Amino acid sequence: MIEDTESEVRRLLDYCGLPFEAQCLRFYENARAVRTASSEQVRRPIFREGLEQWRHYEPWLAPLKAALGMPSIRIQHRKPMGSRHAA
């Protein structure tokens, strides 16, 4: 989503059977009220600065990963797929 926002938005909308609209890429310009904990974030474009913030909590994630049966899981950045119509 961060590396290629438009392609990912198009894939998501296609999956949902919805048409693409350019306003989807400018969500932060919407003046409607937002009633979520992320209300400040939806008023800004997608940014990279927070990508690694989860690492501050990594020491406490080990028990969760183990409980989920994923003790050695590693988080990696996802590469965009070549086609938005991929299976």
Side-chain angles (χ1 to χ4, degrees), residues 27-46:
F27 59 88
Y28 49 88
E29 294 175 354
N30 192 325
R32 289 186 313 202
V34 178
R35 297 181 194 142
T36 68
S38 63
S39 61
E40 295 299 317
Q41 292 175 338
V42 299
R43 300 293 180 215
R44 299 183 298 200
I46 293 176

Side-chain angles (χ1 to χ4, degrees), residues 41-78:
Q41 292 175 338
V42 299
R43 300 293 180 215
R44 299 183 298 200
I46 293 176
F47 61 96
R48 303 183 61 80
E49 290 79 25
L51 278 178
E52 300 297 320
Q53 293 299 316
W54 69 273
R55 293 193 189 275
H56 297 290
Y57 305 97
E58 189 170 23
W60 295 278
L61 294 177
L64 174 61
K65 289 192 251 181
L68 294 172
M70 301 181 239
S72 63
I73 193 169
R74 300 193 68 157
I75 307 294
Q76 297 178 347
H77 297 296
R78 184 175 166 269

Side-chain angles (χ1 to χ4, degrees), residues 1 7-18 84:
M1 181 62 78
S7 292
E8 292 297 323
V9 168
R10 285 180 181 274
R11 287 177 59 212
L12 176 63
L13 292 172
D14 186 53
Y15 180 83
C16 294
L18 299 169
R84 67 173 218 234

Side-chain angles (χ1 to χ4, degrees), residues 11 81 83-87:
R11 287 177 59 212
M81 297 177 90
S83 169
R84 67 173 218 234
H85 296 288

